[in-house]
Amino acid sequence: MIDRVVAKTDLIRSIDRLAHEQSVFAPVANGPQFSFKVISSAEEVAEGYLPTALPPSKHLLPPREALLRFAWHDELAVEPVIEATETVAFGLRPCDLHALELLDAIFVDDKDDGHYRARREAAFFVGIECLEPCDDHCFCESMGSLRADSGFDVLLTDLGDTYYVRVESTKGRDFVLAVDGAHEAVYEDRTRLRKAHEGRDAAFTPRLDVAMEHLPALLAESSDSLLWDVLGEKCLSCGACTNVCPTCYCFDVRDELNLDMKSGERVRTWDSCQLEEFAMVGTGESFRKPREMRVKHRFNRKGRYIFERYGRMGCVGCGRCARACLVDIDPVEVFNQLKGRPVER
Amino acid sequence: MTEPIRSPERPRVALFELASCAGCQLQILNCEDELLDLLQLVEFVYFKEAMTETSDSYELALIEGAVTRESDEEKLRHIREKAALVVTIGSCAYPVGVPGLKNAHDPVEVGSLVYGEDAGFFPTIEAKPVDAVIPVDLHILGCPIHKDDFMRVLTALLIGKNPPVPTHAVCVECRLKENVCAFDRGLVCLGPITRAGCGALCPSYGSRCFGCRGLCDDPNVASMEALLEEKGKTAEEIMAEYGLYNGYYSRRDGGLKAKVAR
Amino acid sequence: MVNTQTTPHGRLKQSPFLPDMAEIVRKERLNPTETLYVLRLTDGAELGHAPGQFVEVSVFGVGEAPFSISSSPTRGGEFELCIRRVGDVTTAMERLGIGAKLGVRGPLGRGFPLDVMRGNDVLIIAGGLGIVPLRSLIGTVIDERADFAEVTILYGCKSPAEMLFKDEIAAWEAREDIDFRVTTDIADPSWKGNVGPVTTLFRRLTVNPKTTVPVMVGPPVMFKHVVKQVLAVGIPEDRIILSLERRMKCGIGECGHCQINGVYVCQDGPVFTYAELKRLEEAML
Ligand SMILES: Cc1cc2nc3c(=O)[nH]c(=O)nc-3n(C[C@H](O)[C@H](O)[C@H](O)COP(=O)(O)OP(=O)(O)OC[C@H]3O[C@@H](n4cnc5c(N)ncnc54)[C@H](O)[C@@H]3O)c2cc1C
Ligand code: SF4
Ligand code: SF4
Ligand code: SF4
Ligand code: SF4
Ligand code: SF4
Ligand code: FES
């Protein structure tokens, strides 16, 4: 499709209009942090934000979601809850776009999960490229997720007072054509885009000592590493790392009965493999009780299991888990130490 | 054959008060909207004091408050004999909240501070959690408890389901709320070792967790202490931090770590 | 059962969590803690399972839990579950009466590899509740007996009182074309049979490693010992069949709970070959 260029002010005005008409989900500042929220005006949108506290996946796979509703009237009646609101997700970073594509591969392509799919199909993604590292924790470049090539309707690149808009869907075309003064990208625009990309490529340096393709093998051969014990001693099992991770999607399912005792919902809620109860069975036995086993499991999911199953990395290098961890468990350190860097106790 | 899961009887519920501010009872009375529903499900027999006559008959005993007198212990043993289920409500009963603060001081001093000359008439013992005296089936936690928590426990018990008690730490709920972590606000916080269920109430209001719900199932106390030390807390300050709500256990031999090992 | 709903886009959507409805046709207490449930789908359809598969059963308002299908598909119509009371769902089920409605999702997972067993000697080894899914396989083997060579069944339980399906066991024992042996860990005065773990039964067998397919279901300790024994007689790793149990929430490879290293028990299993599991440290074999 034809790429366009829009003035920033025009795009913001367009977002503002949209925000008054429909649900627009965008990053908003919260003290030093940022969160995706449904905005009511474009003023709320934070520019140049760090990866949000919770990932944008919370829109497609909410932390708490009803799957079924049931009630006993004359008979027991059970119905699925499949609800979706048309939503524009504005300002998705490349790392998050990669993570959302992984979730699509799992919940749509593989599982055909109608609850997820309804929301995914009602969502419109406006991506925004990163031209410099967001902070010291990010390592998207090493995980192959700095460059977004798919998974969005439009992708913005900041060219100063304009955005270069890459258009990938008809919905995306309609979106950009609705922006005042949008014009087709011409040779000069493409040159500026290329310059921006060159600047980006220079600004990001690899942070992992191991090539992404070799992570699965590295993890497979590191099963007995002492590093897991060191991490297991430190880890608080607080679940912060999994809650904030854009590729984490494990969940619990349980029934909630209303006070009338005649109706209720079956809900799914985010869960975490870092919690002792996660692998515990009715008889009280936990199949992943030692903390080091749980930490090891998380890193293996991120760098190995997901890749082996879905052909995409389970970590996009957004650095959220490292930012959130109170005891400084950081995937960059972990992978590099497995690769041979000394471990500090 | 509709609604197959509920038992037909209306269980009787009795409420007992030990040393506390009665704030948790107030939470139950505050369930205005739900109270009518509630009264259809259970029969409420409210006792301010434990009765010893044979008339006291109840299936579920709710206990508010900490053990602070020898007579409390007798009272509790009596309740345990009568009730099929003993459930504590609030932090005073477990892990001992405000009533436990006095434990850090000399009992004689505390006695004369509160009762002056008459101190001798009010013999008090070290404030203990209810489960230090009798086996407890369930703790409804919080200072004060949350009415939703209370209602959830009650409905679960009525359909014969294990009440949903979170096993994990407050941090799990706190991160879901996208709060700015207390540690990033220059504070320390007991969230990583405290049992969730409050929805990370205190951090959500710009404060931090003081541990009012007691330890979670699988707390890494050693790592927590290392973290507090790294943030510049001395051993005494850490004890004072625990002392707010977890004083009873942290002052035993081996401190909170020993409580976990048990 | 309506399994679909229309979205804003006008397309039909499915919820993988919406169960079919089933009703309890019959109920039989086998033990203080174990009950046999005979279920029928309310729409009259057959469950269409293979031995070794499981279903997720819903008691609405309480929850959902996975159970092996204990009856053989060759018996048609109704299907049977044998359930031990341990927690919320299993306790709630005991309170349900005949005609009560349950949700059933499934059949789920991968069953026993019948094609590998056909034409070969089948050695079935059950420990405790492991007899529940194996009973489905045994039913199929009996009904299609001509397809299999030698059939041996070893069943170990903790005590004679814990033994399940006593009448059927008597019938299996009486058959000429099946070598059935049972043992208990501890005897009681009424017990005249073998005493000791199921491994003691194995030791007395002569098995042909070239033609035998061992199929085992039981507690983790049993796997440890029996796998060692069948390996020792020279049965190849990819012909040793076992079925595992882990915490499950979705049964379709989504929720992550049942994972053993990179493998989902619910989707890739619950039936595996030893070759598939031996490198997985979390399989604890
Ligand atoms: C493939 C498979 C087949 C099984 N077959 C049988 C069988 O034929 N008969 C039988 O009695 N039991 C069987 N089990 C075990 C049975 O699933 C558990 O006993 C049951 O889930 C306990 O549920 P509850 O709600 O009563 O217990 P709770 O302790 O209240 O458990 C709450 C929830 O946790 C999960 N859970 C807890 N324990 C287990 C477990 N062991 N396995 C999986 N999920 C669990 C379930 O989602 C359950 O609803 C099987 C388990 C699996 C994985
Ligand atoms: S955030 Fe850190 S301490 Fe918490 S569970 Fe994850 S690794 Fe452990
Ligand atoms: S593991 Fe950490 S760095 Fe990787 S995607 Fe998840 S939160 Fe981001
Ligand atoms: S991790 Fe990379 S892609 Fe993600 S926000 Fe930071 S710089 Fe951008
Ligand atoms: S504020 Fe406290 S409870 Fe919240 S994440 Fe930080 S440490 Fe955990
Ligand atoms: S945040 Fe901590 S102190 Fe506050 S209510 Fe929750 S458990 Fe209690
Ligand atoms: S039970 Fe959910 S992934 Fe297996």
Side-chain angles (χ1 to χ4, degrees), chain A residues 30 33 35 53-54 58 72-74 233-235 238 240 243 255 259 261 270 276-277 291 294 324 326, chain B residues 2-6 34 151 155 158-159 161 167 172 175-176 178-180 183 192 218-220 223 227:
Chain A
N30 167 26
Q33 289 182 178
S35 297
L54 288 186
K58 72 176 183 183
W72 293 269
H73 301 298
D74 298 328
E233 245 171 63
K234 276 191 0 182
C235 174
C238 71
N243 268 348
D255 283 10
L259 272 187
M261 310 278 276
W270 285 7
E276 191 186 25
E277 205 193 357
R291 235 181 277 279
R294 290 180 253 156
L326 292 171
Chain B
T2 56
E3 201 199 330
I5 43 190
R6 197 174 99 202
E34 297 93 342
M151 297 305 294
T155 44
L158 280 166
I159 62 166
K161 184 171 158 174
T167 54
V172 174
R175 295 287 172 180
L176 285 181
E178 304 195 59
N179 293 328
V180 179
F183 284 94
D218 173 41
N220 191 342
S223 179
L227 174 64

Side-chain angles (χ1 to χ4, degrees), chain C residues 114-140:
Chain C
L114 280 165
D115 44 334
V116 178
M117 289 176 233
R118 288 209 171 88
N120 278 317
D121 298 335
V122 179
L123 170 58
I124 290 170
I125 306 165
L129 265 192
I131 193 70
V132 172
L134 287 170
R135 177 169 167 263
S136 173
L137 177 66
I138 293 169
T140 298

Side-chain angles (χ1 to χ4, degrees), chain A residues 139 245-247 298 302 315-321 331:
Chain A
F139 60 111
C245 180
T247 65
R298 173 164 75 96
K302 298 297 134 188
C315 170
V316 295
C318 71
R320 281 185 177 91
C321 56

Side-chain angles (χ1 to χ4, degrees), chain A residues 195-223:
Chain A
K195 287 258 161 62
H197 284 165
E198 281 165 12
R200 170 191 67 189
D201 294 350
F204 283 84
T205 43
R207 297 202 52 217
L208 290 188
D209 297 350
V210 50
M212 177 179 94
E213 307 77 75
H214 297 142
L215 268 180
L218 175 67
L219 282 158
E221 68 207 26
S222 303
S223 158

Side-chain angles (χ1 to χ4, degrees), chain C residues 176-216:
Chain C
E176 295 282 310
D177 58 353
I178 290 179
D179 181 359
F180 179 89
R181 304 178 193 197
V182 57
T183 181
T184 95
D185 291 351
I186 23 169
D188 65 22
S190 69
W191 183 248
K192 305 277 179 303
N194 298 301
V195 177
V198 78
T199 42
T200 56
L201 295 181
F202 184 86
R203 242 175 265 134
R204 284 178 233 141
L205 289 181
T206 33
V207 292
N208 180 345
K210 292 217 166 54
T211 56
T212 301
V213 182
V215 186
M216 55 188 85

Side-chain angles (χ1 to χ4, degrees), chain C residues 85-103:
Chain C
R85 171 169 30 86
V86 293
D88 290 345
V89 175
T90 50
T91 306
M93 283 192 69
E94 288 205 344
R95 288 204 301 269
L96 297 180
I98 307 300
K101 297 274 193 310
L102 294 166

Side-chain angles (χ1 to χ4, degrees), chain C residues 40-52:
Chain C
R40 187 197 306 126
L41 294 179
T42 50
D43 64 5
E46 299 242 335
L47 186 62
H49 67 287

Side-chain angles (χ1 to χ4, degrees), chain A residues 43-337:
Chain A
E43 275 171 25
E44 297 168 48
V45 181
E47 230 196 310
Y49 73 98
L50 274 178
T52 46
L54 288 186
S57 56
K58 72 176 183 183
H59 173 66
L60 299 180
L61 189 70
R64 181 193 178 284
E65 160 188 22
L67 298 172
L68 306 175
R69 261 184 220 119
F70 49 83
W72 293 269
H73 301 298
D74 298 328
E75 270 282 319
L76 169 63
V78 185
E79 57 171 29
V81 183
I82 293 183
E83 288 165 349
T85 320
E86 296 282 343
T87 299
V88 174
F90 179 77
L92 299 169
R93 298 284 192 198
C95 52
D96 285 340
L97 287 170
H98 278 264
L100 291 164
E101 279 199 283
L102 171 68
L103 295 187
D104 287 352
I106 299 167
F107 283 84
V108 180
D109 301 343
D110 189 30
K111 303 297 172 206
D112 195 15
D113 183 311
H115 307 275
Y116 176 97
R117 195 169 61 155
R119 279 186 296 264
R120 179 65 186 90
E121 285 177 355
F124 178 84
F125 284 177
V126 182
I128 182 157
E129 288 205 288
C130 287
L131 298 176
E132 50 192 62
C134 52
D135 68 1
D136 293 348
H137 289 297
C138 94
F139 60 111
C140 51
E141 202 274 342
S142 297
M143 297 310 292
S145 47
L146 170 57
R147 293 163 194 86
D149 247 333
S150 53
F152 49 81
D153 293 281
V154 296
L155 180 68
L156 310 177
T157 310
D158 190 335
L159 297 179
D161 45 13
T162 57
Y163 283 118
Y164 188 97
V165 187
R166 188 170 145 192
V167 181
E168 280 294 307
S169 69
T170 44
K171 273 207 265 174
R173 186 196 56 202
D174 298 345
F175 168 84
V176 72
L177 288 180
V179 180
D180 301 332
H183 66 82
E184 275 184 30
V186 292
Y187 180 76
E188 290 82 62
D189 299 318
R190 278 184 237 287
T191 309
R192 290 175 73 197
L193 178 71
R194 203 189 54 225
K195 287 258 161 62
H197 284 165
E198 281 165 12
R200 170 191 67 189
D201 294 350
F204 283 84
T205 43
R207 297 202 52 217
L208 290 188
D209 297 350
V210 50
M212 177 179 94
E213 307 77 75
H214 297 142
L215 268 180
L218 175 67
L219 282 158
E221 68 207 26
S222 303
S223 158
D224 298 328
S225 169
L226 285 179
L227 180 62
W228 304 124
D229 298 331
V230 176
L231 299 177
E233 245 171 63
K234 276 191 0 182
C235 174
L236 296 159
S237 304
C238 71
C241 48
T242 54
N243 268 348
V244 302
C245 180
T247 65
C248 275
Y249 61 85
C250 289
F251 55 82
D252 189 19
V253 178
R254 64 192 145 72
D255 283 10
E256 289 180 1
L257 196 62
N258 297 332
L259 272 187
D260 64 5
M261 310 278 276
K262 282 192 166 72
S263 60
E265 288 180 337
R266 178 159 298 164
V267 297
R268 89 171 142 197
T269 51
W270 285 7
D271 206 341
S272 170
C273 61
Q274 297 308 292
L275 308 178
E276 191 186 25
E277 205 193 357
F278 189 78
M280 198 180 269
V281 292
T283 47
E285 182 183 7
S286 172
F287 284 93
R288 213 176 283 115
K289 187 167 174 55
R291 235 181 277 279
E292 59 273 17
M293 267 181 88
R294 290 180 253 156
V295 175
K296 194 203 292 190
H297 182 71
R298 173 164 75 96
F299 284 103
N300 271 283
R301 262 187 86 100
K302 298 297 134 188
R304 179 179 165 211
Y305 302 150
I306 294 277
F307 178 80
E308 286 170 351
R309 188 166 288 262
Y310 295 106
R312 305 182 70 99
M313 269 296 164
C315 170
V316 295
C318 71
R320 281 185 177 91
C321 56
R323 277 175 214 110
C325 184
L326 292 171
V327 293
D328 302 326
I329 297 179
D330 179 336
V332 174
E333 303 285 315
V334 171
F335 293 144
N336 285 345
Q337 284 165 349

